[in-house]
């Protein structure tokens, strides 16, 4: 298997490129469960992790420690010891039938797959609080819409490109909308405004049940 690639990103950061998505998820979990001296912050993306260094940290020495961490055993305790976050969903999205047709399954089967698996926040982006959630075993990979909407309501639950997401606020978007939730994903009045962060575990549930 291809090993972890580490590239400089300026003079205060390193860009880590794991060989695949499973390795990426494991590396993010290790970095959060076993903090590395000299690391100020980590920012996961779809295929990479940007590691920002503290002043005085030596990139070459830190790269060696990061490589050793990447090849070690997974930590005994995951990054999130709390129960999975439960997000109740009203499955009445305007693209629900189209998404089911693209998958060649019924709407009820799509809902069963969406609620029947635990999702993991791989990374955040696009908008504050917007988490890209993955559950490959759910087998819910659908393409984006051919034409994006100019305004997607806050709380919209969507699918695209193998990910699921909840729109934290009203914004343009091209994902397939399968439902809606009253759960607030981004709230500046909370100590931690974002409900989701990389490594968070999520369970979707049919609202009202």
């Amino acid at each position: 298997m291809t090993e972890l690639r580490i590239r400089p990103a300026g003079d205060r950061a390193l860009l880590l490129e794991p060989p695949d998505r499973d390795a990426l998820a494991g590396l993010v979990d290790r970095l959060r469960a076993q903090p590395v001296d000299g690391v100020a912050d980590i920012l996961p993306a779809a295929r990479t992790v940007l590691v920002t260094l503290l002043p005085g940290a030596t990139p070459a020495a830190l790269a060696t420690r990061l490589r050793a961490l990447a090849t070690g055993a997974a930590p005994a305790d995951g990054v999130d010891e709390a129960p999975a976050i439960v997000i109740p969903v009203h499955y009445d999205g305007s693209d629900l039938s189209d998404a089911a047709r693209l998958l060649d399954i019924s709407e009820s089967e799509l809902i069963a797959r969406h609620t029947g698996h635990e999702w993991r926040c791989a990374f955040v982006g696009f908008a504050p609080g917007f988490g890209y959630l993955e559950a490959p075993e759910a087998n819910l990979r659908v393409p984006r819409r051919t034409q994006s909407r100019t305004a997607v309501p806050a709380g919209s639950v969507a699918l695209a490109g193998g990910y699921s997401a909840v729109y934290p606020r009203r914004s343009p978007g091209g994902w397939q909308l399968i439902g809606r939730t009253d759960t607030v994903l981004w709230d500046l009045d909370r100590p931690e405004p974002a409900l989701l962060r990389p490594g968070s575990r999520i369970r979707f549930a049919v609202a009202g049940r």
Side-chain angles (χ1 to χ4, degrees), residues 84-141:
I85 298 166
V86 177
I87 298 180
V89 178
H90 299 276
Y91 285 95
D92 56 4
S94 54
D95 299 321
L96 178 63
S97 59
D98 287 341
R101 177 180 52 79
L102 288 167
L103 292 164
D104 196 26
I105 60 176
S106 66
E107 293 179 19
S108 59
E109 174 63 19
L110 188 156
I111 295 169
R113 292 187 190 182
H114 197 248
T115 58
H117 296 276
E118 186 173 270
W119 295 76
R120 180 184 183 278
C121 183
F123 58 99
V124 296
F126 173 63
F130 191 101
Y132 288 75
L133 314 179
E134 57 182 6
E137 64 278 8
N139 195 21
L140 289 176
R141 177 179 291 273

Side-chain angles (χ1 to χ4, degrees), residues 25-36 42 69 73-81 120 197-198:
L27 177 58
V28 171
D29 286 349
R30 292 187 187 98
L31 285 168
R32 293 201 181 280
Q34 304 173 27
V36 176
I42 65 171
L69 182 68
D77 296 318
V79 61
D80 289 300
E81 297 181 359
R120 180 184 183 278
R197 65 185 180 93

Side-chain angles (χ1 to χ4, degrees), residues 24 40 51 55 59 70 87 110 124 160 166 168 183:
L24 174 63
V51 176
I87 298 180
L110 188 156
V124 296
V166 180
T183 301

Side-chain angles (χ1 to χ4, degrees), residues 2-208:
T2 306
E3 67 175 10
L4 174 72
R5 298 178 66 183
I6 301 179
R7 299 180 178 181
D11 58 357
R12 289 282 304 280
L14 296 170
L15 188 66
L16 281 53
E17 299 181 53
D20 52 47
R21 287 175 64 174
D22 288 342
L24 174 63
L27 177 58
V28 171
D29 286 349
R30 292 187 187 98
L31 285 168
R32 293 201 181 280
Q34 304 173 27
V36 176
D37 290 340
V39 171
D41 189 30
I42 65 171
L43 181 62
R47 295 183 176 86
T48 62
V49 183
L50 182 68
V51 176
T52 305
L53 313 185
L54 289 169
T58 304
L62 196 55
T64 299
R65 293 199 293 273
L66 291 169
R67 198 178 300 280
L69 182 68
T71 57
D77 296 318
V79 61
D80 289 300
E81 297 181 359
I85 298 166
V86 177
I87 298 180
V89 178
H90 299 276
Y91 285 95
D92 56 4
S94 54
D95 299 321
L96 178 63
S97 59
D98 287 341
R101 177 180 52 79
L102 288 167
L103 292 164
D104 196 26
I105 60 176
S106 66
E107 293 179 19
S108 59
E109 174 63 19
L110 188 156
I111 295 169
R113 292 187 190 182
H114 197 248
T115 58
H117 296 276
E118 186 173 270
W119 295 76
R120 180 184 183 278
C121 183
F123 58 99
V124 296
F126 173 63
F130 191 101
Y132 288 75
L133 314 179
E134 57 182 6
E137 64 278 8
N139 195 21
L140 289 176
R141 177 179 291 273
V142 295
R144 291 171 56 92
R145 287 169 48 87
T146 55
Q147 184 173 356
S148 295
R149 293 180 170 91
T150 56
V152 175
S156 295
V157 180
L159 296 170
Y163 295 103
S164 187
V166 180
Y167 281 77
R169 62 184 182 185
R170 185 180 178 88
S171 62
W175 289 38
Q176 307 278 355
L177 306 184
I178 62 171
R180 56 190 169 84
T181 181
D182 295 325
T183 301
V184 178
L185 274 289
W186 178 261
D187 184 353
L188 289 174
D189 291 330
R190 291 191 300 227
E192 291 290 339
L195 180 65
L196 308 180
R197 65 185 180 93
S200 294
R201 297 178 295 114
I202 299 93
R203 282 275 186 183
F204 293 104
V206 177

